[in-house]
């Protein structure tokens, strides 16, 4: 039997699996991604893969190929991640390190590009599909007429850095008004922190993350505010009227409402750029808050004045495995 491995290198977690030729996983491993230099992250990737291989009972030299879905930006010519905005590393060597350790060939893909490969291989996703991830960062993988777009050095559809809010919030990459600055886990937390300096909030600035912001927001107020006909075009300029005690935090509610609106703008941009039949949404932020970030999208797109047919929008049926399954699909036999 031939064995294949896949790695999902995220800004928050690193995961690996080992599977047979049918794509059935026989061993898995997971660990937090070190918030350290590139060498430390490379070592963590290798160690995670070896743990998954050992869990599958596979010999060290028995892997036929390894697929990697990784945060970007990438240099696929060199097999490395270069200057990623969401981890403190200048460069993360992947292909050479994994190949040297295992003797197997390695294929490196952007994580969202891997995600759309997973959708196409393991679900009913049509030929024109976008996989959108809202996680520590924001990104997309695109299939047009059945062809997955890779782009120069593997960086097609880095949509998290589309400027959707003129003069808007700073992004971790150094730009402003980017999709990622409003809708990623890191961006949502940073947005809340910036408002907390001038506005009252029950949130603890020292414990702020996206999960805390969503937990503190009032979902009914968010839903009502984004249901207005111009909601996609307009961001909040004031905090919503503070709900009674126990029903939500006004600052958190504004941050979440802004995330919903900007996310709809971004999805509309994807529809115009690629004319997908389906946009499948994954990533930890989206999957943990799909009632606010995914479910409203069809209605919001209906009021966004699309010049192309509106795509179907769904939460990915691969749950948290879209990227790692897509990395596997990149190396499995057809």
């Amino acid at each position: 039997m031939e064995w294949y491995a896949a790695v999902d290198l995220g800004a928050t977690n690193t995961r690996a699996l080992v599977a047979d030729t049918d794509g059935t996983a026989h061993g898995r491993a997971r660990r937090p991604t070190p918030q350290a230099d590139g060498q430390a992250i490379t070592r963590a990737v290798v160690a995670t893969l070896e743990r998954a291989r050992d869990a599958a009972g596979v010999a060290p030299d028995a892997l036929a190929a390894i697929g990697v879905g990784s945060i970007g930006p990438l240099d696929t010519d060199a097999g490395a991640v270069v200057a990623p905005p969401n981890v403190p590393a200048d460069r993360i060597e992947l292909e050479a390190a994994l190949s040297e350790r295992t003797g197997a060939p390695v294929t490196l893909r952007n994580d969202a590009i891997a995600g759309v490969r997973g959708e196409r291989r393991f679900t009913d996703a049509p030929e024109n599909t976008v996989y959108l991830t809202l996680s520590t960062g924001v990104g997309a993988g695109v299939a047009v007429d059945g062809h997955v777009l890779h782009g120069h050095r593997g960086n097609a559809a880095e949509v998290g850095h589309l400027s959707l809010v003129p003069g808007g919030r700073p992004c971790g990459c150094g730009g402003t008004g980017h999709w990622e600055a409003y809708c990623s886990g890191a961006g949502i937390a940073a947005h809340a922190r910036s408002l907390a300096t001038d506005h009252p909030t029950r949130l603890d600035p020292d414990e702020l993350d996206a999960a805390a912001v969503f937990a503190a927001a009032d979902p009914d107020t968010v839903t009502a505010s984004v249901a207005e006909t111009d909601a996609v075009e307009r961001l909040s300029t004031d905090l919503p009227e503070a709900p009674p005690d126990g029903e939500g935090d006004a600052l958190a509610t504004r941050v979440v409402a802004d995330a919903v609106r900007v996310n709809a703008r971004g999805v509309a941009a994807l529809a115009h750029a690629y004319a997908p039949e389906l946009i499948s949404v994954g990533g930890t932020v989206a999957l943990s808050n799909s009632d606010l970030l995914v479910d409203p999208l069809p209605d919001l797109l209906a009021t966004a004045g699309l010049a192309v047919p509106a795509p179907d929008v769904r939460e990915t049926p691969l749950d948290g495995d879209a990227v790692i399954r897509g990395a596997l699909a990149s190396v499995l036999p057809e």
Side-chain angles (χ1 to χ4, degrees):
M1 179 182 292
E2 286 193 322
W3 297 99
Y4 296 85
V7 173
D8 172 4
L9 171 58
T12 303
N13 291 296
T14 299
R15 302 192 302 149
L17 66 77
V18 172
D20 58 29
T21 52
D22 293 329
T24 302
H26 291 257
R28 289 178 178 262
R30 174 177 179 155
R31 60 156 293 162
T33 300
Q35 299 304 299
D37 62 25
Q39 290 183 337
I41 295 174
T42 299
R43 288 193 297 269
V45 169
V46 171
T48 306
L49 175 60
E50 290 178 338
R51 284 175 51 207
R53 185 198 62 206
D54 292 345
V58 173
D61 60 351
L63 293 177
I66 302 167
V68 180
S70 174
I71 54 173
L74 301 183
D75 181 348
T76 50
D77 293 343
V81 182
V82 290
N86 294 316
V87 293
D90 294 328
R91 185 179 183 89
I92 307 168
E93 300 289 347
L94 292 172
E95 282 192 10
L98 287 167
S99 184
E100 180 179 334
R101 188 75 173 195
T102 64
V106 179
T107 298
L108 175 62
R109 302 287 185 221
N110 170 276
D111 53 3
I113 292 173
V116 79
R117 284 187 169 275
E119 293 282 336
R120 291 281 292 139
R121 179 71 180 253
F122 296 109
T123 80
D124 60 353
E127 289 189 337
N128 295 292
T129 291
V130 171
Y131 172 74
L132 170 65
T133 178
L134 307 178
S135 192
T136 306
V138 173
V142 180
V144 177
D145 298 334
H147 301 287
V148 174
L149 305 184
H150 293 103
H152 183 53
R153 295 183 178 173
N155 292 298
E158 274 282 2
V159 299
H161 302 288
L162 289 176
S163 187
L164 300 178
V165 183
R169 288 190 31 72
C171 180
C173 71
T176 59
H178 293 180
W179 194 345
E180 192 164 294
Y182 289 87
C183 299
S184 68
I188 288 166
H191 190 185
R193 281 191 213 98
S194 69
L195 290 175
T197 60
D198 297 316
H199 298 283
T201 178
R202 303 172 201 164
L203 296 170
D204 181 350
D206 295 327
E207 300 292 334
L208 264 180
D209 58 16
V213 174
F214 274 96
D218 177 49
D220 292 337
T221 302
V222 172
T223 300
S225 69
V226 300
E228 299 166 8
T229 55
D230 62 345
V232 174
E233 298 303 322
R234 176 179 52 80
L235 292 187
S236 303
T237 55
D238 298 306
L239 297 186
E241 183 177 346
D245 286 348
E247 294 186 14
D249 180 88
L251 184 148
T253 299
R254 170 181 166 176
V255 171
V256 172
D258 282 351
V260 174
R261 293 183 178 103
V262 173
N263 195 47
R265 289 186 191 182
V267 170
L270 291 177
H272 284 126
Y274 302 113
E277 300 164 67
L278 171 69
I279 296 178
S280 194
V281 188
T284 53
V285 173
L287 295 177
S288 299
N289 306 284
S290 60
D291 57 328
L292 292 172
L293 289 174
V294 182
D295 296 349
L297 284 170
D299 289 340
L300 290 171
L301 291 178
T303 65
L306 292 183
V308 296
D312 292 331
V313 181
R314 73 179 184 192
E315 182 179 331
T316 176
L318 295 175
D319 196 26
D321 272 356
V323 172
I324 203 164
R325 299 296 290 176
L328 182 64
S330 297
V331 295
L332 283 177
E334 293 294 335

